[in-house]
Every structure is written in structure tokens, then in C-alpha cells.
Amino acid sequence: MSTPELDPTETASDSEPAVAPEDPPPPPRSGWRFVALIPNDGKQPPADLSDALAQNAWCAVSALWHPSLLARASGLPTIEPIEDPSAPAPREIRLAVGGALDLLPSGYRTQAEDAGAILLESDPDRDATIRRIQELLGAVGTPETSDDAAMIDTARDFLALGLVHWMIRDLSYAMNHHDAINDEALARETLAGADAWQSFDRPTAVNHLRAAFEVLTQARERSYPVDAYILDLCLLDPALPGGSLAAPLETRAAITFVAQADAIESQARQDPEGIAALCQAVTDGWVDVAGGSYAESEDPLLPLESTFWQIRRGGEVYRAHLEERNVETFARRRFGLSIQVPQLARRSGFRFAVHFTLDGGRFPVREEPKRLWESPDGSNVESLLRVPMPADRPSRGLMFPWLLATTMRNDHVATVPLVHWPSPVAPWYLDLRRASTHSPVF
């Protein structure tokens, strides 16, 4: 096979495709630097941490991630120990945890003032703290004061990103993976999203925000590359008012309602639309109902016939209000556990059980999160044993990444249950649920 002759006037470089010049790197951002000063930075919080101090710490860390502040920032907010902060510099806002200013080094306030930095103190109201900083920066126009619900909702997603970044940072410290977070990628996506939000371009802001959450998910996977399970348990009681289901169902994130049949019956009577939304969520696969009997009677003290009646009546009520569905997980809020429970559960069609109660009584606490619970006759049922962490206390939010690290290190399957009533709940819990709609960080 012959080869074509080359034109003698043609050079080698002429025959090669031209290489497009690389885009120049973006110029460094100019703007403010934001620093949160918190106690116990990078360390497990003390067991006696107060809820008030924890609430202020949550505010100090997450408030600085509001997109109106990030759009005016030279980089992402940083966290430093309040006991040993870096030297302040001009065009800095340093937000110290309220109630912990006495931990600052002697003369630090004067040093900050002389350097041209602004030293503020956080308070429990995150929105109020954000408004104070916005006023200092002149961020009081559109979209900061817009009443657009979608823009406000996206801004709250940025705040949730700030909290999750803090939690992943602590989790990486607890797992001895200090460089788990790709800070460059996180800063690129977050700041680009904040700039888009500031320009009222919500779709672009949301896209960058999801990419930022994905960066944090990848950071968690470097510390623990398999699934971890956060079990969200919401308690229902027949005494709760109608509409109690609205708040837990507002965010499309996995949740389990621990409710005896009379609680479901009460909500169906007071709030038919709420029960319809609950049934639809169960159909969609992100909500489950755990319970068993009609009411929480003192089953261990009653004849077996009474217990069987409670379970049969409960099944009828569940099916009547949950579109003919059966509850498959046996659970109670008040104490009523006994050695007969696995046998009764199996004979009544339950597949799983919860081996703890939250109101009265005593029961063995095991180290493992789940195991087979067995009756004397050999009947057994797969059961959740780990006592849940209260999601209505601000101090538990600071403990969360450290508890998660413990179960990641010690358990075959990392499991952290949370428990709460429909309201009130801690702000960190709402931020976690909001974050879960973007990426499975935890």
C-alpha cells in the first residue's frame, strides 16, 4: 500500500492540530475574611456541655455561611479555637461563641480593634446574628431582604452546608483523617453558588450547592467508605394536636414514626390531610410507621388475652387509616418489654422490633446496635438495641460527629438513632434533614 506524498512546503507543525491555550486561573478573590471562634475546636465536647453554649456555637459556625456573606468573602469561613486564636487582621469579622468570651486571650479585644478587625458575639438567634453582620457589610439590598420563599429556602441550604462542613471536619478529626475535605473544590463550588445567589440566579446557585454537598459526601467516604445509618424516630401520642405531622413531613428525608394505633387514629380524626400525606410518603418509600398495639397499656402486668386484643385492635386501626398497610416493626414509647415480646411479635406478623423504651422501666443496654431478640420458646425477631440520641437538645448536635465516629470504628454497621417529638426540635437537626435532600452526607 503506497503512502501519499507530502507537500515539501508543508512543515511538521502545520500538520499537527493546534492546541487551544489553557484558560488562565481565576484571579484571587478579594473581600472579607470570616472566622468562627469556638471552644473545644477539633476536640470531643465535654459531657456537661450546656445547651445554651451549644446553641451559640451552632450559630457562630453556621451563620457565616449565609450566601450574602459568602458573596463578599475572600474565601470560605474558617474555625479557630477561642482559647488560642490567630492574630486578627484588617477586613476580618471574627464571630465568637456567645457566653465564651472569657476564654479569649487577655487583651484580644483590644488587639482586634487595633488591627481593624471586627469582633462579634453570637447569640441563640441565627437570623438575628446574620442581620447584624449584613448591616456591618452593607448587605441590606436585594436579594438579602427579598421575600422570595425559594431564595430564602436556598439561603438556609447554605447555612446547612456550613453546619455539615463543621460536622464532617470533626468526624475527620475523630477518625484521624485530618485532610479528608477537598477544601479547594468546596470553596470553588460554594463561592460560585453564593455569587449566583447574590445575582438572583437561584438554579445556578442550587447546582453549585449540590456539588458542594457532594464534596462533603466524598470527604465522609474517605473516613468511612460504606453506608452509615442515621435512624430518625419521631414520636406520636394521641394527646398531640391535629397538624402534628406537617413539620416532620415538610422535608423529604427518611423518617420513622413511632406511634401506637390510637395516636394514628387521633391524627386521622383531627387531620385527615396529614394522614393522607403520611400514606403517600409511605408509598413513596421515605416514611415508615412502627408501633404494634392499640394503646400503650401495662402489658407485662396484664393477661396474654389483653395483649393479644391490643395487637389485634391495633392492626385493624392501622389498616383502616394507612390504606390497608400492616405495621411491621414492633415498638413502644412507654415501658412494656418482656420475654414474651418476640414470640408475640412473630405470631402477630411483625418482622422487626425495637428493644428499648423511652419512658419508664429498665432494660439491658447492649454495645451492638442490633441483634436477634429471643423468647424462651426459641422465637426471635431482629431488633434495634441502640438507645437513640435526643434530637431536641442543641448539645447533642455537637456530640453527633463524635458518636458517629465511635460507631464507625466499633460496629459492623455504623448506626446512630435519633429521637424527638414533632416539635420542638434542635436547629442542628433541621439543618441535617435539609442537607440530606442534596446528598447522603451521613
Side-chain angles (χ1 to χ4, degrees):
M1 182 176 181
S2 61
T3 59
E5 296 183 1
L6 293 176
D7 187 344
T9 62
E10 199 177 62
T11 63
S13 60
D14 293 334
S15 62
E16 295 177 358
V19 178
E22 294 184 1
D23 294 333
R29 291 175 66 99
S30 60
W32 289 82
R33 180 170 180 256
F34 299 105
V35 183
L37 304 177
I38 66 172
N40 306 303
D41 178 36
K43 302 176 183 177
Q44 183 169 351
D48 60 350
L49 177 68
S50 70
D51 286 334
L53 188 63
Q55 178 79 4
N56 288 338
W58 162 82
C59 175
V61 172
S62 61
L64 298 177
W65 288 69
H66 192 278
S68 66
L69 307 183
L70 294 174
R72 294 166 170 82
S74 60
L76 291 182
T78 58
I79 303 173
E80 295 182 2
I82 195 171
E83 302 89 350
D84 185 26
S86 62
R91 292 181 66 78
E92 283 187 351
I93 290 183
R94 294 181 164 249
L95 186 58
V97 172
L101 288 182
D102 57 334
L103 299 177
L104 284 169
S106 177
Y108 192 81
R109 294 192 190 196
T110 303
Q111 184 183 0
E113 184 177 349
D114 293 343
I118 300 175
L119 180 61
L120 301 175
E121 184 177 12
S122 70
D123 56 44
D125 188 339
R126 183 169 64 181
D127 291 340
T129 299
I130 293 170
R131 285 193 296 270
R132 278 195 292 146
I133 302 175
Q134 287 174 333
E135 291 172 0
L136 288 170
L137 302 183
V140 292
T142 304
E144 290 87 355
T145 57
S146 171
D147 58 358
D148 187 310
M151 291 292 287
I152 295 173
D153 192 62
T154 303
R156 296 194 180 280
D157 288 345
F158 276 92
L159 300 176
L161 179 68
L163 173 78
V164 172
H165 170 261
W166 181 27
M167 287 185 167
I168 290 293
R169 181 174 174 267
D170 275 4
L171 177 65
S172 65
Y173 287 162
M175 299 291 289
N176 294 318
H177 291 86
H178 291 228
D179 299 324
I181 300 177
N182 186 338
D183 294 318
E184 182 180 350
L186 181 63
R188 180 179 65 249
E189 299 296 344
T190 303
L191 296 177
D195 292 341
W197 185 91
Q198 189 67 31
S199 302
F200 232 91
D201 184 359
R202 180 177 175 274
T204 301
V206 170
N207 288 337
H208 284 292
L209 192 60
R210 287 175 178 165
F213 274 111
E214 187 60 32
V215 171
L216 294 180
T217 301
Q218 294 170 3
R220 192 268 299 166
E221 290 173 345
R222 291 189 183 97
S223 299
Y224 192 75
V226 296
D227 290 335
Y229 293 91
I230 312 301
L231 308 180
D232 190 357
L233 308 178
C234 181
L235 304 175
L236 292 182
D237 187 87
L240 289 176
S244 296
L245 294 170
L249 296 177
E250 183 179 4
T251 303
R252 189 184 174 93
I255 189 170
T256 297
F257 290 94
V258 179
Q260 302 308 310
D262 58 350
I264 296 295
E265 186 178 53
S266 175
Q267 288 298 314
R269 182 174 60 254
Q270 301 178 77
D271 184 19
E273 293 181 359
I275 287 294
L278 173 65
C279 292
Q280 184 59 51
V282 173
T283 300
D284 294 342
W286 58 278
V287 166
D288 193 16
V289 176
S293 57
Y294 177 72
E296 291 197 321
S297 57
E298 294 78 7
D299 287 349
L301 305 179
L302 298 176
L304 283 178
E305 290 78 5
S306 297
T307 301
F308 275 121
W309 182 90
Q310 288 279 356
I311 293 175
R312 285 195 301 270
R313 175 58 180 157
E316 295 170 357
V317 173
Y318 285 128
R319 289 188 291 273
H321 298 296
L322 299 180
E323 298 179 348
E324 297 301 319
R325 292 185 178 89
N326 290 311
V327 170
E328 296 185 334
T329 302
F330 182 88
R332 292 176 61 98
R333 176 175 61 87
R334 296 177 56 204
F335 182 75
L337 305 182
S338 67
I339 59 175
Q340 286 86 15
V341 167
Q343 180 180 2
L344 295 173
R346 275 297 184 188
R347 292 190 177 185
S348 302
F350 294 97
R351 298 174 57 200
F352 311 101
V354 172
H355 189 274
F356 58 77
T357 56
L358 303 166
D359 188 2
R362 300 177 66 182
F363 51 89
V365 177
R366 305 285 186 177
E367 291 185 358
E368 64 267 36
K370 68 174 185 177
R371 68 179 299 174
L372 290 178
W373 182 9
E374 190 171 344
S375 284
D377 72 333
S379 302
N380 60 67
V381 60
E382 188 174 356
S383 303
L384 174 68
L385 275 70
R386 179 150 295 160
V387 179
M389 182 179 77
D392 57 355
R393 293 191 57 190
S395 60
R396 300 303 95 183
L398 274 64
M399 299 287 188
F400 173 76
W402 300 90
L403 293 175
L404 184 58
T406 300
T407 183
M408 286 178 173
R409 288 193 303 266
N410 299 335
D411 297 328
H412 180 66
V413 178
T415 306
V416 176
L418 308 176
V419 67
H420 56 90
W421 292 99
S423 65
V425 292
W428 62 264
Y429 163 79
L430 297 177
D431 282 348
L432 277 189
R433 284 183 62 81
R434 183 176 288 275
S436 69
T437 63
H438 290 278
S439 181
V441 182
F442 297 114

